[in-house]
Amino acid sequence: MCSIGARLPRYVASPPLSSLLPLGSACAGLYTVQDLEELHQLHSAHRLRLSPGSRRAEGNTVHSFTPSAWGSSLSGGCTVIHFSTHYYQNKLKLAIIGQSLFGQEVYTNLRKHGHKVVGVFTVPDKDGKADPLAVAAEKDGTPVFKFPRWRVKGKPIPDVVEAYKAVGAELNVMPFCSQFIPMNIIDLPKHGSIIYHPSILPLHRGASAINWTLIHGDKKAGFTVFWADDGLDTGPILLQRECAVEPNDTVDTLYNRFLFPEGIKAMVESVQLIADGKAPRIPQTEEGASYEGIQKKSNAKINLAQSAKAIHDWIRGHDKVPGAWIAINGQPVTLYGSSLFGGSAPAGQPLEIEGASQPGLVTKNGLILYGNDGKALLVKNLQFEDGKMIPASKYFSSGESSSVELTDDEKKMAEEIRNIWKGILSNVQAIEDTTDFFKSGAASMDVVRLVEEVKQKCPSVQLQSEDVYMATTFQDFIQMFVRKLRGEDQEEELVIDYATKEVNNMTVKMPYQCFINGKFEDAENGKTYETINPTDGKVICKVSYASVEDVDRAVAAAKDAFDNGPWGKMNPRDRGSLLYKLADLMEEHQEELATIESIDSGAVYTLALKTHVGMSIQTFRYFAGWCDKIQGKTIPINQARPNRNLTFTKKEPLGVCAIIIPWNYPLMMLAWKSAACLAAGNTLVLKPAQVTPLTALKFAELTVKAGIPKGVINILPGSGGMVGQRLSDHPHIRKLGFTGSTPIGKQIMKSCALSNLKKVSLELGGKSPLIIFSDCDIDKAVRMGMSSVYFNKGENCIAAGRLFVEESIHDEFISRVVEEIKKMKIGDPLDRSTDHGPQNHKAHLDKLLEYCSTGMKEGATLVYGGRQVGRPGYFMEPTVFTDVEDHMFIAKEESFGPVMVVSKFKDGDVDGVLQRANDTEYGLASGVFTRDINKAMYVSERLEAGTVFINTYNKTDVASPFGGFKQSGFGKDLGEDALLEYLKTKAVTVEY
């Protein structure tokens, strides 16, 4: 209850129209126009934030206003007020005939939209418990009728018909109804009756439509709202909606992701179309029509002499009722939790299965079954005839579990849970240790109730519906609960097959498989490729080579995590806590991460530790702090007199995002993009560069340890042509962030536009100019000039691709650079004294050598380097070119390597050198060295680049936005600007 009278008594009035609609809270009241004008002044003075809630009447319009947050003010004295608007033209008197949570939600939403429910007709109480629809209606004071049947021997029951007629409904709404309703009830209202059916009619008429959608392997699912007639699901169609069926969808995921939430909206929309006289009646065609009845357990045996996909479809179509089964040792065993399985099977124990083309395999991940096409599927859980369910991975050890002894506090908690069982199983006299939840009459709704009531008693225990099915007796349930309470029964332990190396005075453990939906697994097609250590050219390990099917599975997991998982519902501050924890784990493993980065990319270890890994940690901490600070704003707009208007904006996550990163900073580029993406509330599928996948996969392991929910982060090593292209084309991805070459960026942008017009941010090629004036600090200019080119072996997005040195200091500058290069130590990147490591991979080294050859052929002077170092690995000498003219290839194209390209300019020719510096299609970064601050500012204002460094270089920071102009791309990494790349702005306008 809120203390509205104490806080703002002048805004409280009696609610004479309370019977018109159920108010949103006990504190809701009715307000006059004068009151609302005062509230508008209050809004103007205190910048109140508004969202949907309670009501006032004004002609045919009711404005709702629920002061639900008036019990406390926000920081800064801001009070939250909730507004919404309902229009009472064309509203109907409705009879709701049906049951279930779906019926309850349809009922509630129809009332919220102003329709008057004159009667609810539902099923009788079961074991003393009312149906959810009845519970909601009785709470609102809506007349509720609980007829066990509507007819006897085919004839309507007169008393039932008269009771129905008395409510005076204009339309029957039947969201989910298991009873047979006579036609004189169906046709009696002015507008007749509408029914919700969970299939795309005329396909799958009958009572098990969702199941048959999966059993038949349909690519699309959906629902139909149709006009009831005397046939079975044959009436004219009013409205249809459809969605794609994902490869591992189940009845539950389809229902929860689409059929339930969208079905509720569609029922409300259908009623309004009828009220407005705009509802169509489209006759159903019989072409392609099908009818399937309710499956019985006896008919649900699996035919194993078919493809793996057909077996998978049969299992998921029968999950959880009635349950598809096989025979093992002559006994029926029901299978639950099927998914298609790709790649080579892990080690396991063979299991003979009747009718199978080859034995199954009990593995650490579950039971693998094979179709007659040689492909496989994975089954998660098994249930025996006595109702006991076990993880399939525990088949050969199912009897080995020992009970735990309870402490005194745990015994008290067990008694509290016993009382919860007693409240649900009210027909059972006493809850014994052997009492079986389901054999005592519990149904699926009771499972939800049990889970929620136990979680209220002990919020720290992460209980799921699946846990109840796995522990059906009270004793087993308590044992499971106590193990979870103690942390002994965590979610299935992450199984990782590591590639292990003894290197850098440590044991480095590197995951090498695809990371999809919280698990490491082989690519669907089982393919792998070799990742190479550039220091010696030797193979580090084999890595999974992701396929298009893997991309689809990863995107489906990310979409489910966004739509249905805890990530999308999580408090932003809690999301930030997880990102802070992830940063802490990265710091804890920083030496291992830096070592992996060094052997996989050739980065000098000390640089990898400080920059590659160090800045990655800083990036996650920075964006973790942003999670609870993403805000919209209020906007003054022109008033539509005599009414008043208020507009406010909300920042919302985009959904599933794809991230494609380069090979020069494998972990840091991951952090720059994914930290902002996750802070904004999105989920992601990330493709690391094919040649440097290992730190990304190690990062994936740390995300699990940090508690990031499964499906939120998915990582797919593989080729850009396959994985990257599919990500660009995928219809469920809403944003793609890419760092790489300009030609590939253009192709990605085109694919993103043609597919679903997904949002894009691109950080592409560069030819960053660095201008060094004669009045500079020459020592600093030499030091920073070398860093601008040779930092990270020249494999640096913002590397100074061309240096312009004022003529009077040109020769000195070159002489001092060469002198310093000769002091640089080239060698093993793990050696702490090494300055310059190997280039990232052989193809890149070959390209750099060709680049230098081109420079010499065009007439540039090779002052130093230009050759491969004579030792194993992909080492190149730091290189210096002078006398580079503007038309030359090396003056226009970036090397992306340790090649300094120097041109001189005449003393004092500031505008001339600016023109030459800007004469490029790139605009990522730039720099200027001078002691003259006026000259520095003049130059910085005219350089056409996303970043300008003055008397420094490579100085990036997590709080400063980073991104280019022109063909260097668009969009920003880092800073607040990066968040905006992963958010959408919704404007909400209220009239009052």
Side-chain angles (χ1 to χ4, degrees):
M1 296 291 289
C2 57
S3 54
I4 181 172
R7 288 186 68 90
L8 290 173
R10 61 182 178 145
Y11 295 113
V12 183
S14 61
L17 300 182
S18 59
S19 61
L20 199 62
L21 260 180
L23 296 180
S25 78
C27 305
L30 204 64
Y31 302 89
T32 66
V33 175
Q34 182 179 358
D35 290 330
L36 265 291
E37 287 173 351
E38 290 182 53
L39 280 175
H40 177 71
Q41 294 170 7
L42 186 67
H43 150 67
S44 299
H46 295 285
R47 301 178 63 82
L48 303 183
R49 288 186 285 176
L50 311 179
S51 58
S54 66
R55 305 164 176 79
R56 74 172 169 91
E58 183 181 349
N60 287 329
T61 304
V62 168
H63 297 277
S64 84
F65 175 77
T66 305
S68 58
W70 279 4
S72 62
S73 294
L74 299 177
S75 60
C78 177
T79 302
V80 179
I81 299 181
H82 303 274
F83 280 99
S84 67
T85 302
H86 300 304
Y87 294 90
Y88 278 72
Q89 305 97 321
N90 305 324
K91 299 300 174 182
L92 297 177
K93 296 178 182 178
L94 307 175
I96 308 293
I97 304 176
Q99 63 207 72
S100 78
L101 271 176
F102 184 75
Q104 180 194 65
E105 288 296 318
V106 171
Y107 159 82
T108 301
N109 280 273
L110 285 169
R111 295 185 81 232
K112 283 182 180 178
H113 282 75
H115 299 284
K116 184 173 180 62
V117 178
V118 294
V120 165
F121 299 83
T122 188
V123 293
D125 297 353
K126 182 181 178 182
D127 297 327
K129 298 191 292 292
D131 183 83
L133 173 58
V135 171
E138 287 170 344
K139 183 178 179 181
D140 294 332
T142 300
V144 177
F145 304 85
K146 301 178 182 180
F147 301 134
R149 63 187 63 85
W150 289 71
R151 62 179 190 167
V152 175
K153 296 182 179 179
K155 294 185 179 181
I157 302 172
D159 290 348
V160 173
V161 173
E162 289 306 312
Y164 168 80
K165 287 181 177 180
V167 302
E170 298 172 316
L171 174 70
N172 291 331
V173 178
M174 303 166 70
F176 173 75
C177 182
S178 62
Q179 297 177 311
F180 189 94
I181 311 300
M183 284 307 298
N184 63 333
I185 299 295
I186 294 291
D187 295 336
L188 183 63
K190 172 183 175 181
H191 297 290
S193 303
I194 60 169
I195 302 177
Y196 170 90
H197 184 78
S199 81
I200 307 170
L201 291 174
L203 198 62
H204 305 312
R205 294 169 176 163
S208 300
I210 312 175
N211 304 72
W212 288 104
T213 297
L214 296 173
I215 290 170
H216 284 291
D218 294 353
K219 294 186 181 301
K220 290 184 178 180
F223 58 80
T224 305
V225 180
F226 69 96
W227 301 92
D229 65 2
D230 57 358
L232 184 60
D233 303 331
T234 57
I237 293 170
L238 191 161
L239 180 151
Q240 283 186 329
R241 297 281 188 271
E242 62 181 41
C243 69
V245 177
E246 302 294 347
N248 290 318
D249 261 332
T250 64
V251 172
D252 285 348
T253 61
L254 267 179
Y255 187 69
N256 294 330
R257 182 178 83 243
F258 184 79
L259 300 174
F260 182 87
E262 296 302 318
I264 294 164
K265 297 176 189 175
M267 289 297 282
V268 174
E269 180 182 347
S270 298
V271 170
Q272 193 58 54
L273 286 170
I274 295 169
D276 295 338
K278 298 177 180 178
R281 291 176 180 261
I282 304 168
Q284 287 192 41
T285 176
E286 290 304 307
E287 182 180 347
S290 64
Y291 171 81
E292 299 95 358
I294 299 174
Q295 276 289 79
K296 297 180 179 178
K297 190 76 173 184
S298 58
N299 299 328
K301 185 176 182 180
I302 303 167
N303 173 16
L304 295 169
Q306 54 184 336
S307 69
K309 185 179 184 305
I311 296 171
H312 166 63
D313 289 338
W314 185 266
I315 295 172
R316 62 177 178 153
H318 289 82
D319 193 340
K320 303 235 175 347
V321 178
W325 57 278
I326 55 177
I328 302 176
N329 297 326
Q331 301 297 317
V333 177
T334 306
L335 311 184
Y336 296 104
S338 171
S339 59
L340 294 172
F341 183 81
S344 57
Q349 191 169 348
L351 178 64
E352 293 294 333
I353 299 170
E354 295 177 20
S357 58
Q358 65 185 91
L361 194 66
V362 177
T363 73
K364 59 190 176 184
N365 299 324
L367 172 62
I368 294 177
L369 299 177
Y370 295 92
N372 61 8
D373 57 353
K375 295 183 178 180
L377 60 142
L378 181 69
V379 175
K380 183 179 178 183
N381 298 316
L382 307 177
Q383 187 175 40
F384 301 103
E385 273 194 292
D386 61 1
K388 182 179 180 181
M389 185 181 286
I390 64 166
S393 60
K394 305 294 184 185
Y395 177 81
F396 289 111
S397 57
S398 58
E400 298 176 4
S401 177
S402 59
S403 61
V404 296
E405 186 174 344
L406 275 59
T407 65
D408 290 342
D409 287 341
E410 289 166 349
K411 288 177 182 177
K412 291 178 183 178
M413 181 63 73
E415 288 308 307
E416 292 186 34
I417 294 175
R418 193 186 299 272
N419 290 332
I420 294 173
W421 276 54
K422 179 63 180 173
I424 297 172
L425 304 176
S426 54
N427 55 315
V428 178
Q429 287 188 350
I431 304 298
E432 307 290 346
D433 285 351
T434 56
T435 300
D436 188 284
F437 194 67
F438 297 103
K439 290 180 180 178
S440 300
S444 58
M445 269 305 302
D446 299 309
V447 173
V448 176
R449 177 179 167 186
L450 174 59
V451 169
E452 294 305 315
E453 288 198 37
V454 172
K455 283 163 71 174
Q456 279 185 329
K457 289 286 184 185
C458 190
S460 63
V461 174
Q462 297 299 309
L463 201 62
Q464 306 292 332
S465 296
E466 193 75 25
D467 297 319
V468 184
Y469 292 106
M470 299 285 279
T472 60
T473 67
F474 181 74
Q475 183 178 29
D476 289 345
F477 185 86
I478 291 299
Q479 289 285 311
M480 174 271 299
F481 172 82
V482 170
R483 286 192 174 96
K484 282 183 174 288
L485 187 64
R486 295 177 181 179
E488 298 172 1
D489 194 20
Q490 299 291 344
E491 189 174 326
E492 184 180 337
E493 185 179 352
L494 180 66
V495 177
I496 308 176
D497 290 331
Y498 291 110
T500 305
K501 280 195 174 296
E502 296 294 331
V503 61
N504 202 23
N505 299 317
M506 67 179 75
T507 301
V508 176
K509 299 167 70 176
M510 298 169 287
Y512 58 85
Q513 297 167 294
C514 300
F515 183 71
I516 301 174
N517 204 25
K519 295 188 293 185
F520 286 101
E521 51 192 51
D522 292 336
E524 184 87 14
N525 54 20
K527 289 185 178 180
T528 62
Y529 70 97
E530 295 176 341
T531 185
I532 306 296
N533 184 342
T535 301
D536 56 16
K538 294 180 180 179
V539 175
I540 301 172
C541 64
K542 290 186 176 181
V543 178
S544 292
Y545 190 77
S547 65
V548 168
E549 290 74 20
D550 295 311
V551 177
D552 290 345
R553 289 191 299 122
V555 173
K559 189 172 189 300
D560 185 60
F562 183 81
D563 292 339
N564 306 311
W567 189 252
K569 305 176 182 68
M570 191 177 293
N571 183 302
R573 197 161 295 163
D574 294 336
R575 188 164 65 242
S577 296
L578 289 180
L579 294 184
Y580 276 123
K581 186 175 181 181
L582 176 57
D584 290 344
L585 281 166
M586 292 171 70
E587 188 170 52
E588 183 181 327
H589 290 262
Q590 61 183 332
E591 288 86 0
E592 186 179 20
L593 286 167
T595 301
I596 297 172
E597 192 92 335
S598 187
I599 65 173
D600 202 27
S601 75
V604 172
Y605 176 77
T606 51
L607 178 66
L609 195 61
K610 179 183 183 296
T611 301
H612 291 234
V613 178
M615 193 172 187
S616 300
I617 296 167
Q618 293 177 27
T619 302
F620 271 98
R621 285 187 175 140
Y622 173 80
F623 283 108
W626 266 110
C627 289
D628 60 355
K629 300 171 186 68
I630 299 170
Q631 304 177 47
K633 53 189 172 185
T634 57
I635 302 171
I637 64 172
N638 288 341
Q639 309 296 339
R641 297 174 182 170
N643 296 320
R644 293 179 180 273
N645 299 97
L646 171 69
T647 293
F648 61 94
T649 61
K650 299 171 65 181
K651 297 289 186 183
E652 298 179 348
L654 299 170
V656 181
C657 299
I659 293 173
I660 302 174
I661 57 174
W663 43 258
N664 58 327
Y665 294 103
L667 186 63
M668 195 172 77
M669 291 297 99
L670 176 153
W672 281 23
K673 295 187 186 299
S674 62
C677 174
L678 295 169
N682 301 286
T683 58
L684 65 88
V685 180
L686 182 140
K687 193 199 89 65
Q690 184 173 342
V691 293
T692 54
L694 296 180
T695 42
L697 294 171
K698 188 67 181 181
F699 168 83
E701 177 190 347
L702 298 181
T703 68
V704 177
K705 292 181 177 180
I708 305 292
K710 67 178 184 178
V712 172
I713 296 170
N714 304 271
I715 296 180
L716 301 175
S719 76
M722 184 182 298
V723 176
Q725 186 61 52
R726 179 57 179 156
L727 290 172
S728 302
D729 293 335
H730 205 290
H732 290 160
I733 290 174
R734 294 298 170 192
K735 159 71 194 281
L736 190 147
F738 171 75
T739 295
S741 72
T742 297
I744 298 299
K746 290 179 178 180
Q747 179 60 44
I748 285 174
M749 190 173 177
K750 180 180 179 181
S751 298
C752 289
L754 291 176
S755 54
N756 61 339
L757 210 63
K758 56 178 64 73
K759 189 175 182 180
V760 183
S761 58
L762 304 171
E763 195 251 280
L764 307 176
K767 189 66 175 174
S768 301
L770 173 58
I771 304 173
I772 300 176
F773 289 100
S774 59
D775 61 353
C776 69
D777 178 338
I778 189 67
D779 293 335
K780 188 175 186 181
V782 169
R783 186 174 69 254
M784 289 291 185
M786 291 182 66
S787 175
S788 75
V789 176
Y790 303 127
F791 188 83
N792 199 47
K793 312 145 340 182
E795 296 167 355
N796 188 18
C797 306
I798 57 173
R802 193 174 181 194
L803 277 67
F804 295 93
V805 182
E806 200 158 12
E807 193 168 26
S808 58
I809 63 165
H810 174 274
D811 293 347
E812 180 187 359
F813 178 85
I814 297 298
S815 174
R816 293 179 63 168
V817 165
V818 171
E819 183 181 336
E820 292 301 318
I821 289 176
K822 291 176 180 177
K823 298 175 185 177
M824 292 172 65
K825 180 178 178 180
I826 302 173
D828 183 354
L830 293 175
D831 185 333
R832 301 323 192 248
S833 63
T834 294
D835 298 303
H836 191 80
Q839 304 309 136
N840 187 276
H841 51 281
K842 187 176 187 305
H844 182 53
L845 172 63
D846 293 341
K847 179 184 172 184
L848 287 172
L849 295 173
E850 183 181 350
Y851 183 91
C852 292
S853 176
T854 301
M856 288 187 288
K857 288 176 183 177
E858 287 189 323
T861 301
L862 178 63
V863 176
Y864 192 89
R867 296 170 300 180
Q868 183 174 356
V869 178
R871 58 168 292 162
Y874 310 138
F875 292 86
M876 181 177 177
E877 295 175 335
T879 300
V880 179
F881 276 102
T882 61
D883 302 320
V884 178
E885 298 179 12
D886 295 351
H887 67 274
M888 292 180 178
F889 176 82
I890 65 172
K892 293 182 175 295
E893 299 299 327
E894 71 174 329
S895 68
F896 212 65
V899 182
M900 182 178 285
V901 177
V902 184
S903 300
K904 66 176 68 172
F905 66 96
K906 293 180 180 179
D907 291 347
D909 189 9
V910 176
D911 290 325
V913 75
L914 272 171
Q915 184 177 354
R916 296 172 70 191
N918 287 328
D919 186 19
T920 173
E921 275 300 301
Y922 300 109
L924 188 56
S926 60
V928 55
F929 278 82
T930 176
R931 285 191 173 98
D932 185 340
I933 188 62
N934 293 320
K935 186 192 296 181
M937 296 307 296
Y938 178 87
V939 171
S940 70
E941 289 172 4
R942 286 158 179 78
L943 282 170
E944 297 169 0
T947 297
V948 180
F949 297 108
I950 299 176
N951 294 328
T952 188
Y953 209 89
N954 287 325
K955 181 59 180 175
T956 54
D957 187 86
V958 294
S960 177
F962 179 93
F965 299 161
K966 299 188 285 189
Q967 291 198 47
S968 287
F970 51 82
K972 297 294 182 183
D973 291 325
L974 304 180
E976 182 180 1
D977 291 45
L979 278 176
L980 303 179
E981 300 293 333
Y982 295 94
L983 292 165
K984 58 188 176 186
T985 302
K986 179 182 288 184
V988 181
T989 298
V990 184
E991 184 174 285
Y992 59 97

